[in-house]
Amino acid sequence: EKAGRSELELDSPPTVEAVIDAVEQALPALGHLASSVRFAVNTDYATPGSTLKPGDVVSFLPPVGGG
């Protein structure tokens, strides 16, 4: 929501890390988030090196507390 958009165009090879970089460039205020969030591609946890296919959905999962 804070990004103000839901899609990004990426150069090849598209990876989760490329998405992180694109978000940090477009929204520098969100750059600090990459070090504290987990990522998912579609419904599976992913690493920054995970490769993307057209139509994949990348989610940024913020830390949560509970207890």
Side-chain angles (χ1 to χ4, degrees), residues 33-59:
L33 295 177
S35 64
S36 63
V37 299
R38 299 269 326 252
F39 308 98
V41 175
N42 301 317
T43 59
D44 298 318
Y45 285 111
T47 66
S50 297
T51 307
L52 304 173
K53 298 181 297 292
D56 278 347
V57 174
V58 178
S59 301

Side-chain angles (χ1 to χ4, degrees), residues 17-40:
E17 187 169 28
V19 173
I20 296 166
D21 292 344
V23 169
E24 287 178 342
Q25 285 182 356
L27 298 157
L30 297 181
H32 69 284
L33 295 177
S35 64
S36 63
V37 299
R38 299 269 326 252
F39 308 98

